[in-house]
Amino acid sequence: MSTSRRTLGLYGGIAIASLVAPFVFDSYISQLTVLWVMVLFAITWDAMGGQMGYNSLGNIFFFGAGMYISAVVQIGLHYDVAEYTAAYGAIKVDFTPAQYHVGLVLGTIVAALGSVALAVALSWVVFGLRGPYFAIGTLGVALAAGELVGAWEYVGAGSGISLPVFPGEPEVGERFFYFAFFIAAVLSFFFFRWLYGTRFGLAINAIRDDEEKAEAMGIRTMRYKTITWSLSAFFLGICGSLFGNYNIFIEPLEVAFATVVFGIPMVVMALLGGKGTLWGPVIGAVLYHVIKEATWKYFLGWQWVALGLLIVVTVVFFQQGIMGWAQDKWPELFGIEVEEDSAEGDREAA
Amino acid sequence: MLSNFQLLFDFPVLNIELLLNGLMIGGIFALAAYGLALVWGVMNVKNLAQGDFVIMGGYIAFVVYKELGINPLWALPVAGIVMFGFGWLLYGLVIRWVIGRDLFTSLLATFGMAIVIQQLLNLIFGPDVQTADSGLGTQLFLDSVPVQEIRVLSLAIAGILALMVILFMKNSRMGQAIRATAQDPRAAKIMGIDTDRVYAFTYSLNAAICGVAGVLISMIWVIQPFYGIGHSIRSFVIVVAAGLGNLPGVIISALGLGALEQYGGFGFGTEFQQAIVVGLLILVLIVRQIMQARHRQVVQ
Amino acid sequence: MAAMIEVRNVSKAFGGVQANRSISLDVAKGKITGLIGPNGSGKTTLFNSIVGYHPIDEGSIKFEGKEISKLRVPQIARLGMLRTFQQTRIYGKMNCIKNMLISVPHRSMGLIEIFGDHSAQELEKAEHLLEFVGLYAKRKLQAGDLSFGQQKLLEFAMALMNQPQILLLDEPTAGINPTLINGLIDRLKRANTEFGITLFVIEHNMRVIMNLAENIYCLAHSELLAEGSPETIQKDKRVIDAYLGAH
């Protein structure tokens, strides 16, 4: 079929471009790496906000939590964490490549599972809240986490933690993290793509469109909400663990639980591209990242003002997003039928 | 940190100082919270830029004090008027398109506005912590508790302003129109009330109240471009705890928040002060949820 | 015949307004039971009490012998009791097939199954039921684009898809084109006989309820006024008075 061939071509094209990009544009590799982080953010937010209708302003919490969990695991394998952080970087880590990679993999696994555990624990608190209270409550969770970690001496409080440097040439390290984020983003894309096609996907859409009706039909809404929130947390935990290692240094307010830098943009990216669609968050993330990098380059100093304005304009005037706009314009492209099926209309009773 | 709580038992007089300070700061929190409840109740807009309006008011006082070299108390009317105008401008540019949209839109749009305001303040004034000195002294209360005169004056000003707003809402034509619109915007429109103007006025009035509160904050406390979010969260804590349209509740919660914050800051250390405020927000949300879960009814 | 729902002395007030006063009734298993009464007599309130939308002030409600007056909507729904709404509630932005697939019975579903695809049988059943209510030709249209009457039929089909033991219908014929009402009565009866679903129906249209129900309860002024077969109810002076407002 031509559509499936076209889809295959699209995926293949993106895959090839993504694979060669870090070699062809190697001076832009850090921007390209962060692009995949942004894609991950938008996809995981959209599972909650776009597909299930629970607009979280605090998903960044799991990114930060994963980052810290992973850091504690990696350092803790070889050092006393409290002593290490108290020395403010005076203790230099000296890991063999094997130690580094074992620590990174182990840290990432624990970070992912730890984030899921936190999501399950928090779900009781946040899912009793509806509408604006949910958004404010999740925002509160993220802000509180930043403040508490910032006062917690064991993990270095406001001074953060220095993480081991990638063993080997810096260019190799950059490519290593580029592909790590690329793989994580691609995995999450295909995971959620599969998920939205199952009974599960339809059920969370039902929760989004009319939760009361879904409950009245006997759907266990709390179970779906907890699982979706946990899946989002799982990928964000992985992303946080990798980002901490990519950044070498982690700190609560600007890196880990960075509400203004990452937490709110997550939402804006998904809205910009079109929430509740498969490709919307991806497109939104790319667009947002390009705009962000451009303002950094051309409006330095004013970049955050420009991004704040972008948030306002997107939310107020373009909330349906690019995909939503396209869906309104060409519904038949998205499998929405507007004509009744007359050819089969008088099918005999089965 | 436990030893600090021990101090409170060893020196009971400290309690009086903390309590007084807390109540006086809480009185100012009540102003911004009342403004939030007003905008929320009348327009169904959850204004996350609330704290940034407060900080803007603070910087107006700072400019009056630093650039003009006069007592920052003169900034009270200036901040009220400037912020009223600013509120009107924001209403026309952004808020009017948000009214009637889903609940999330207003939160996110005002958060975007908050970021713009913070960053502009940061570009203009830099990230340093500032304060405006009113030049007033300190008195001893009960011969042992130091009380800054400016705090007492601020509380009095906050009280007078609150009274003025209440009388205005009760007696003026615009106040009545606002209350009518809050109850039923469609009916108000049919009765010939220009609801768009009512909304603009309500939003601007809120900005003005916040501006005045900010002037007071700048004199008794400190301001910084990024402190707005803390004040926004405080307003939300107070309003969620008190409920909409419950003025005595707003005042009591605000005073309680002020006192709790002082105690928490003293007991755990000031680095936890922000965490305490956010923690309280989560706490009031949970309590609200438990209260509602008792009913068989679906939680709304 | 055994009672599927037993309502005993249920009272419910909203503020000072007494909506139900000490109401007792039985819904017989496997039958169609009707609930009539003038506007404001407390029919929908009683429905809401049974399916768990609000707490009751006093009394007991049993479903298959189990006390349910403290349970909430989702728990009651999972026991196999479903209701449709006076104002229909369907998923307007999804097509009819998806509306049907959402309605597969979730109560029996395990953790693994919720990640599965919809089976061919489910799809077959969804199409079959859409055909049963006469919406097969519109199965791929957005449910929100259907007429009010068609949405009502869709909601009915969704309820059947859920395979409930009992279905509480709040005015199923209100807003439906009068020429289609006979067809609907026929379908309700077939849902009862062919799918074995007990029905409890609020209805305003006297002709419909007299044709449909085997046993009818009449509420007036928040109280139970009369009970009996359609013939008895039709002849009951108190019922006629209540509808004509003679007092």
Side-chain angles (χ1 to χ4, degrees), chain B residues 293-300, chain C residues 49 52-54 69 71-72:
Chain B
R294 278 212 207 109
H295 302 298
R296 192 171 156 180
Q297 208 153 9
V298 184
V299 183
Q300 280 296 334
Chain C
S49 298
Y53 267 90
H54 48 226
S69 61
L71 300 184
R72 284 186 273 139

Side-chain angles (χ1 to χ4, degrees), chain B residues 1-265:
Chain B
M1 97 188 182
L2 273 177
S3 63
N4 269 3
F5 280 117
Q6 190 62 45
L7 277 177
L8 291 173
F9 286 102
D10 296 343
F11 303 97
V13 89
L14 276 176
N15 287 291
I16 301 176
E17 188 183 343
L18 286 177
L19 210 57
L20 277 179
N21 276 337
L23 296 182
M24 286 184 290
I25 291 177
I28 300 170
F29 293 165
L31 282 181
Y34 176 75
L36 179 72
L38 187 70
V39 165
W40 190 332
V42 176
M43 310 161 67
N44 202 13
V45 166
K46 283 122 208 104
N47 189 32
L48 260 177
Q50 194 76 355
D52 301 280
F53 291 172
V54 172
I55 297 298
M56 274 182 84
Y59 274 102
I60 291 172
F62 178 71
V63 168
V64 165
Y65 165 70
K66 218 24 179 268
E67 304 296 325
L68 305 179
I70 54 177
N71 194 307
L73 281 169
W74 289 106
L76 286 168
V78 179
I81 293 163
V82 171
M83 290 306 293
F84 190 92
F86 184 69
W88 201 282
L89 182 73
L90 274 188
Y91 178 82
L93 287 176
V94 179
I95 302 298
R96 75 184 306 167
W97 314 107
V98 169
I99 288 174
R101 302 269 289 276
D102 68 282
L103 307 156
F104 184 58
T105 305
S106 67
L107 269 179
L108 208 54
T110 52
F111 198 95
M113 281 167 21
I115 293 177
V116 174
I117 295 172
Q118 286 164 15
Q119 297 296 336
L120 287 176
L121 288 176
N122 188 32
L123 285 173
I124 301 168
F125 298 102
D128 295 332
V129 170
Q130 308 284 10
T131 188
D133 187 4
S134 61
L136 294 177
T138 305
Q139 294 275 338
L140 281 185
F141 178 68
L142 295 175
D143 290 335
S144 52
V145 184
V147 173
Q148 292 172 334
E149 285 167 357
I150 182 62
R151 295 199 171 197
V152 181
L153 185 65
S154 294
L155 187 63
I157 292 170
I160 292 167
L161 182 69
L163 208 65
M164 276 164 59
V165 173
I166 291 164
L167 287 176
F168 172 80
M169 295 297 278
K170 268 223 163 70
N171 300 320
S172 72
R173 274 202 90 83
M174 183 47 102
Q176 285 165 349
I178 290 174
R179 286 188 297 144
T181 309
Q183 276 185 21
D184 189 338
R186 247 178 29 157
K189 215 172 212 163
I190 292 166
M191 301 307 286
I193 292 174
D194 182 353
T195 49
D196 194 47
R197 240 187 98 228
V198 166
Y199 289 144
F201 188 90
T202 307
Y203 198 74
S204 312
L205 180 66
N206 168 47
I209 294 172
C210 288
V212 172
V215 174
L216 300 177
I217 293 274
S218 76
M219 292 188 294
I220 66 173
W221 221 359
V222 287
I223 51 167
Q224 199 258 1
F226 300 105
Y227 280 3
I229 183 77
H231 289 290
S232 295
I233 299 280
R234 285 185 184 98
S235 295
F236 275 90
V237 171
I238 295 164
V239 172
V240 172
L244 291 177
N246 173 7
L247 188 61
V250 165
I251 293 170
I252 293 168
S253 323
L255 297 180
L257 175 67
L260 271 176
E261 234 186 90
Q262 290 291 312
Y263 268 93

Side-chain angles (χ1 to χ4, degrees), chain A residues 51 102 144-145 150 198 225 283 316 338:
Chain A
Q51 299 285 345
V102 167
T198 65
K225 289 190 277 189
I283 295 170
V316 177
V338 285

